Amino acid sequence: MGMSLLRELARELYQVGAVKFGDFVLKSGRKSPYYINLRILSSYPLLLKEVGKAMAGRINSLSEEDKVNRLCGIPAAGLAIANAVGMETGIPVCYTRKEPIIYRDLVNALRLSLREKDYPPERKWGIEEIIQEIERLSGFKTHGIESYVDGELRDGDRIGIVDDLITTAESKLEAKELIELEAKRRGIGVKVMGVFTVLDREQGGKEALEKEGLKLYSLLTIREMAKFLLEDGVLTPPLYRTIVEYTLAERKSLGLG
């Protein structure tokens, strides 16, 4: 994809407020010089279409070794983007379900509570019974859930996971697990080839995927986007330097170059 198209995409994402630069406090309480909210893309259908075209171009340029024949969106933003890409490429789309992950996170929180708090025996037994029921519903142990993925999957599929952005890759690896569980449930064999995102925050997600044998295909990194906006006169040089220094510091704290 040409740099001019990526530059235009960066400008449009900034103009609609999908990416904001300044001083922000994240949910974790940490400060950040930028804030990303690509969930609003569905409110800008023409821009969503442009994102779909850009990602379609990236997918169509893949080597035969890396080609995908099915996309799997991660709800909610990833599903909207996957559908936009599917419309451009003709590649069919499915999506992962959130419920299994929610169930598992709830079980982990309850188990942590049992370890950290001194509950009376009767309450402890009650919590353990709740955990067992949640695990039954989740299907991670019993494979009793109706499905982990909605939409068609076929034997031999080469799947590309689609999401809006990547930070640590945790949700992408969860999606890979759900796809593999669904394939096992259906008695078929599939292979997750890689992950496609609009933005890469450059905070270890790419490296985490590589450890699992997956490639990351992002349209823009946060530093690339900031540089385009600097060159277009949207960002001031001091703010651009702050973004670069913040990103480098984050990567250094994670042991990344």
Side-chain angles (χ1 to χ4, degrees):
M1 164 169 282
M3 288 296 106
S4 61
L5 293 177
L6 289 176
R7 181 187 299 275
E8 179 62 25
L9 184 60
R11 185 185 304 116
E12 290 183 11
L13 289 172
Y14 174 79
Q15 287 174 343
V16 302
V19 183
K20 300 178 180 180
F21 297 96
D23 294 312
F24 301 94
V25 178
L26 305 177
K27 288 183 179 179
S28 62
R30 301 178 64 184
K31 292 184 177 181
S32 172
Y34 58 84
Y35 174 74
I36 301 172
N37 178 19
L38 296 174
R39 295 183 299 276
I40 68 171
L41 282 177
S42 293
S43 297
Y44 298 89
L46 294 180
L47 178 54
L48 179 59
K49 184 177 177 65
E50 289 304 311
V51 168
K53 285 183 178 180
M55 200 169 285
R58 182 63 54 87
I59 289 173
N60 289 335
S61 68
L62 294 174
S63 66
E64 286 299 319
E65 179 184 1
D66 296 325
K67 290 276 187 196
V68 300
N69 72 313
R70 193 172 302 276
L71 303 174
C72 185
I74 299 178
L79 176 56
I81 295 168
N83 284 332
V85 179
M87 293 292 288
E88 294 294 329
T89 61
I91 297 175
V93 175
C94 59
Y95 63 95
T96 54
R97 298 183 63 180
K98 286 186 174 183
E99 294 93 329
I101 299 301
I102 293 171
Y103 287 144
R104 186 169 64 181
D105 289 346
L106 182 55
V107 165
N108 290 339
L110 289 171
R111 290 197 185 282
L112 179 63
S113 178
L114 283 176
R115 288 196 300 270
E116 293 184 344
K117 297 182 179 180
D118 186 20
Y119 290 118
E122 62 275 10
R123 187 171 182 187
K124 183 176 180 181
W125 296 333
I127 293 174
E128 288 174 343
E129 287 181 354
I130 291 171
I131 289 173
Q132 291 175 10
E133 179 63 14
I134 293 172
E135 288 180 333
R136 183 189 67 79
L137 290 170
S138 74
F140 272 106
K141 286 191 173 182
T142 65
H143 304 291
I145 199 167
E146 183 179 349
S147 66
Y148 302 95
V149 174
D150 280 338
E152 282 195 359
L153 285 180
R154 295 183 180 178
D155 192 45
D157 273 348
R158 297 159 61 89
I159 299 171
I161 293 171
V162 179
D163 207 0
D164 55 345
L165 76 157
I166 185 166
T167 304
T168 65
E170 181 180 359
S171 63
K172 285 58 171 173
L173 296 176
E174 287 175 345
K176 177 177 182 289
E177 182 181 5
L178 291 173
I179 292 167
E180 291 170 345
L181 283 169
E182 182 62 18
K184 182 178 180 181
R185 190 185 72 82
R186 299 189 190 191
I188 60 175
V190 303
K191 183 177 182 181
V192 176
M193 304 300 297
V195 174
F196 300 84
T197 68
V198 180
L199 281 174
D200 176 8
R201 292 178 63 109
E202 301 184 86
Q203 294 180 0
K206 179 181 179 180
E207 291 78 6
L209 291 177
E210 288 174 347
K211 288 181 181 179
E212 299 298 324
L214 298 176
K215 294 182 179 180
L216 173 65
Y217 305 93
S218 285
L219 297 179
L220 292 162
T221 66
I222 192 64
R223 281 183 288 180
E224 287 171 342
M225 181 173 184
K227 186 175 182 182
F228 282 141
L229 295 176
L230 170 70
E231 293 169 349
D232 287 349
V234 176
L235 294 186
T236 64
L239 181 52
Y240 172 72
R241 286 194 297 271
T242 297
I243 294 162
V244 171
E245 290 168 1
Y246 170 84
T247 305
L248 291 174
E250 288 289 302
R251 292 182 62 79
K252 184 177 181 180
S253 71
L254 296 168
L256 304 172

